[in-house]
Amino acid sequence: MLSFPFSSNQYLKPTISFILFVSSVSYHNITTEILIPLLLAMCTTSEVNGGPAPVRLQTVIDQFAAIVQQNSEQPAVVSCQQKSDLYGFENGKRRQCEYLRWTYGVLDQAVQSFAFHLSSYDLKPGMPLLIFSHNRVECLVACLGAYYLGLIHVPISPESLLNLGDAQYLLDTVCNAHGHQKIVVIAAADIAKSIDQLILPQSSVKIAFDESVPGWITFESLMEPAKIKTCQSSTPAESILFTSGSTSRPKGCQISADRWFNSLQGAMGLGQL
């Protein structure tokens, strides 16, 4: 049985406690039949499935950089609903393709441009970056850019804006948990007006894509070529994921993206395309 201890700030901490319920078994039997095999299994798991776990976890950005270096001309992201020349980036080897098809090298250029220009807005590591969007290339660029700058990546479904009370609750939950008076909000132009009805922290940075919106920075302006490479933040990559809220108010879960990616790396085959 798994026990998930909750903290007082409404976030599910990534701490898992294993509880064994044993009845009518002596202490000797518990030791020899349960604890010892369990400890042996824990000690040999890494050797059975591969080499020992590294002492220092590779960050998401470190892994991404390694993949870019080894597979710069391989396809990284395909978005059939977005145009091939989006933001002026070349479409890899298939330049005549009618839809967006970026290689790892092109994706890296986009992330570097985004991080470089966004860093000029006096953002501090640990500040939340909220993105209200369905699956688009901007979501991926913003996520990697947030990790690069040490911002907390918070993806939120645009459907949450159908109920502004619920949307305000999600916003307040993130802001109250981290105590920042400044956040970054990214959204499509058609829902920017709904977000403007929410109470945002002062001096928040608002970024819109698809079209320009009064009071919002355009995503396109952040895609201009970076003059220099931005220094990677030493802050661990983190995301906050919310439940659907189908049975009650959405619950937030803050995760370590670095640990998550290291756990999934073997199964995902990152960079093997």
Side-chain angles (χ1 to χ4, degrees):
M1 178 178 180
L2 299 181
S3 171
F4 300 89
F6 287 85
S7 65
S8 59
N9 66 354
Q10 304 181 25
Y11 286 106
L12 176 62
K13 296 295 184 182
T15 302
I16 302 178
S17 300
F18 290 86
I19 302 178
L20 287 173
F21 290 97
V22 183
S23 60
S24 303
V25 182
S26 67
Y27 176 80
H28 173 76
N29 288 336
I30 292 177
T31 303
T32 57
E33 297 178 14
I34 297 178
L35 295 184
I36 292 179
L38 179 60
L39 291 173
L40 289 174
M42 292 172 64
C43 292
T44 59
T45 297
S46 62
E47 283 72 20
V48 171
N49 292 285
V55 176
R56 176 185 177 275
L57 291 176
Q58 272 195 308
T59 67
V60 173
I61 297 302
D62 287 342
Q63 294 185 55
F64 177 65
I67 294 170
V68 170
Q69 184 176 12
Q70 298 173 12
N71 304 274
S72 62
E73 296 301 319
Q74 297 299 321
V77 56
V78 173
S79 182
C80 296
Q81 76 273 22
Q82 294 184 272
K83 59 184 182 179
S84 60
D85 60 346
L86 187 68
Y87 303 128
F89 291 108
E90 293 185 355
N91 218 13
K93 295 180 179 179
R94 298 190 179 185
R95 297 181 182 179
Q96 303 303 319
C97 188
E98 297 180 354
Y99 53 83
L100 183 147
R101 185 183 176 89
W102 284 359
T103 63
Y104 280 105
V106 173
L107 176 60
D108 183 51
Q109 292 178 41
V111 172
Q112 290 294 333
S113 296
F114 179 85
F116 172 77
H117 292 291
L118 189 60
S119 64
S120 66
Y121 288 91
D122 192 29
L123 304 178
K124 306 298 182 184
M127 286 183 176
L129 181 150
L130 290 75
I131 179 164
F132 293 79
S133 177
H134 295 295
N135 290 334
R136 299 173 49 119
V137 71
E138 289 88 352
C139 298
L140 182 56
V141 171
C143 176
L144 291 172
Y147 293 158
Y148 203 95
L149 296 176
L151 307 179
I152 299 178
H153 165 246
V154 188
I156 299 179
S157 171
E159 278 71 28
S160 64
L161 294 168
L162 295 175
N163 185 323
L164 293 181
D166 284 348
Q168 186 67 58
Y169 170 79
L170 298 178
L171 180 63
D172 292 343
T173 299
V174 173
C175 294
N176 293 338
H178 293 277
H180 286 289
Q181 299 301 314
K182 187 176 185 178
I183 63 173
V184 179
V185 179
I186 303 176
D190 59 348
I191 64 173
K193 291 183 179 179
S194 296
I195 295 177
D196 278 336
Q197 298 180 52
L198 303 176
I199 302 174
L200 303 178
Q202 294 182 353
S203 303
S204 293
V205 179
K206 299 184 294 184
I207 305 168
F209 50 82
D210 289 339
E211 299 175 7
S212 60
V213 179
W216 290 62
I217 303 165
T218 62
F219 199 95
E220 185 174 7
S221 67
L222 304 180
M223 290 291 96
E224 297 178 2
K227 297 180 180 179
I228 59 174
K229 188 172 183 179
T230 306
C231 293
Q232 179 183 342
S233 172
S234 60
T235 302
E238 293 187 330
S239 288
I240 294 177
L241 307 180
F242 280 95
T243 62
S244 63
S246 57
T247 56
S248 62
R249 282 283 176 87
K251 304 296 188 299
C253 176
Q254 185 164 337
I255 66 170
S256 166
D258 293 335
R259 293 185 179 278
W260 186 32
F261 270 71
N262 274 272
S263 299
L264 297 177
Q265 185 178 19
M268 294 172 67
L270 295 174
Q272 301 304 311
L273 296 177

